[in-house]
Amino acid sequence: MGLSEKTKAWLKDNCRVSLRGKTALITGADSGVGFQTAEILLQLDACVVLVCRNMEKAASAQKKLQRDHPGASVSVMKLDLADFRSVEAFSDELRAKGTDVDILVNNAGVFHQPGRKTADGFELVMGTNYIGTFYLTERILPYLQCLPHEVVVINTVSIVCRIAGIPDFRKFYDGGDLAVYARSKLCLAIYTRELARRTRKTRLRILMSHPGITMTPLGMNAYGKTVSRLAGRFRGVFNSPEKSALSAAYILSHEVPPGALVGPDRFFGGWGFPRENKIPRRADRNAEELIRFTEKEIARAGGKIP
Ligand SMILES: NC(=O)c1ccc[n+]([C@@H]2O[C@H](COP(=O)([O-])OP(=O)(O)OC[C@H]3O[C@@H](n4cnc5c(N)ncnc54)[C@H](OP(=O)(O)O)[C@@H]3O)[C@@H](O)[C@H]2O)c1
């Protein structure tokens, strides 16, 4: 199907940048916002790597993108953020193959996974959205820092991280669906802000985006028919995945500083076209304690941060 004419026109007017010769890795690129991000970066002429846990879904996404962008470079790599061994295999493969990386969009995430755990025993939402992304980033950071050009890393957070409580390490994995999800995204925001500070003088540019409220399998799977019915009825209230995915293009074509947050511009960031958003105050608190705690949790589960 490809991108809508409206999106193409927005890109033409707002993103005067060519990504020709640049390689963009996107996690969770077989679905929702990740798939549309791949589509948009292809439109800007990037070479795209779909980094997915399910190789069948990845191959089907690759086929669709190649059909809509004939001649474009679209490849796939395997990564399951909910399994440390998979994260280690992925980072080793990147290094062994000398894969070029100009852009990394850490988009993969989950919501509402009651009672489920990662392969290493963490609650699945925290384990995927925060701990898995943290582990991946720490494993590949030394490699990215050795590349002879700028590397932009975009971590996907959420507007709900504004309502999350400061992480209480005694109850780190506890709470209802929304509380755990919001905490996982707040932790990712805190980590991103701290990493942006630590890498300020390097060629890494680390930022955040959020997709507002977007109709994708993420929420649909959680609330099934009720959400699908509501979403169908109030379609205009939600951002389309295509519109939400424009944040990456905005970041890559504007002078957005490290640590910034980009997302939809209307209704408290719920929907609209991308622009720089206000940073949640809590994203600048407790970074050192959080990182120390996370490193200990990863070591306790057998992970190795270089
Ligand atoms: N939709 C919203 O309103 C909204 C709001 C705020 C933030 N977000 C964030 O936006 C990002 C994209 O979500 P979406 O709405 O586009 O949902 P989605 O369509 O469900 O996409 C999520 C992607 O993440 C992948 N994924 C899940 N667990 C993974 C793992 N362990 N390892 C590797 N990949 C994994 C999924 O793979 P499979 O296809 O194999 O499941 C899928 O490709 C997420 O980080 C989400 O938290 C979404």
Side-chain angles (χ1 to χ4, degrees):
M1 211 171 80
L3 295 172
S4 68
E5 290 309 315
K6 205 170 165 190
T7 297
K8 285 186 194 162
W10 189 91
L11 283 170
K12 206 163 159 222
D13 292 345
N14 295 278
C15 298
R16 294 201 185 99
V17 66
S18 166
L19 302 179
R20 191 171 294 276
K22 303 218 177 218
T23 304
L25 273 60
I26 305 159
T27 67
D30 55 85
S31 163
V33 180
F35 177 80
Q36 293 298 335
T37 302
E39 181 113 62
I40 283 167
L41 299 190
L42 284 172
Q43 181 72 21
L44 297 176
D45 289 331
C47 303
V48 161
V49 184
L50 314 176
V51 182
C52 303
R53 62 175 167 178
N54 180 324
M55 288 295 99
E56 266 174 47
K57 281 184 170 184
S60 149
Q62 181 187 32
K63 210 164 143 196
K64 274 191 224 151
L65 292 167
Q66 281 171 333
R67 184 197 59 205
D68 294 337
H69 299 265
S73 165
V74 186
S75 48
V76 298
M77 284 181 82
K78 185 169 172 61
L79 168 71
D80 183 350
L81 284 171
D83 181 349
F84 282 0
R85 300 296 89 80
S86 172
V87 174
E88 288 156 10
F90 174 82
S91 53
D92 291 350
E93 186 184 347
L94 213 59
R95 202 172 298 111
K97 287 190 177 158
T99 309
D100 201 14
V101 185
D102 297 278
I103 301 151
L104 167 65
V105 185
N106 278 318
N107 159 81
V110 285
F111 174 59
H112 182 74
Q113 303 287 334
R116 294 187 61 198
K117 291 200 184 290
T118 68
D120 310 284
F122 296 107
E123 186 284 325
L124 191 61
V125 174
M126 283 303 283
T128 307
N129 297 358
Y130 173 56
I131 295 179
T133 306
F134 181 106
Y135 191 44
L136 169 70
T137 309
E138 293 292 323
R139 294 277 311 183
I140 64 175
L141 213 53
Y143 174 69
L144 299 183
Q145 283 177 313
C146 285
L147 293 173
H149 50 70
E150 183 190 65
V151 180
V152 181
V153 178
I154 304 172
N155 286 343
T156 308
V157 297
S158 165
I159 44 172
V160 297
C161 73
R162 294 187 192 280
I163 58 160
I166 296 278
D168 174 344
F169 301 123
R170 287 162 304 177
K171 299 183 199 154
F172 199 66
Y173 306 102
D174 300 347
D177 283 353
L178 191 59
V180 175
Y181 178 75
R183 191 183 314 131
S184 73
K185 294 296 187 179
L186 174 62
C187 290
L188 187 57
I190 295 173
Y191 172 56
T192 309
R193 297 278 296 163
E194 179 60 18
L195 204 55
R197 274 188 285 274
R198 290 185 187 179
T199 55
R200 211 176 28 227
K201 292 190 179 143
T202 72
R203 284 189 290 255
L204 278 179
R205 185 156 65 106
I206 301 187
L207 315 90
M208 298 179 274
S209 72
H210 76 84
I213 306 165
T214 311
M215 262 203 288
T216 65
L218 188 93
M220 306 282 197
N221 293 345
Y223 296 120
K225 283 187 188 150
T226 319
V227 165
S228 305
R229 229 177 282 133
L230 276 173
R233 193 152 176 193
F234 300 105
R235 193 164 277 272
V237 169
F238 297 91
N239 245 18
S240 66
E242 186 175 303
K243 206 178 204 179
S244 295
L246 289 170
S247 289
Y250 182 95
I251 288 171
L252 295 166
S253 53
H254 290 76
E255 295 279 316
V256 186
L261 171 65
V262 169
D265 60 351
R266 293 177 56 202
F267 193 63
F268 306 104
W271 67 86
F273 287 101
R275 70 157 184 214
E276 220 178 304
N277 284 197
K278 217 171 140 197
I279 300 291
R281 261 180 300 155
R282 289 169 183 166
D284 283 323
R285 296 193 189 149
N286 290 51
E288 283 190 13
E289 295 100 300
L290 176 66
I291 290 174
R292 231 178 293 124
F293 171 80
T294 314
E295 286 171 347
K296 270 194 203 150
E297 287 290 273
I298 289 173
R300 187 174 60 79
K304 287 186 182 64
I305 292 175

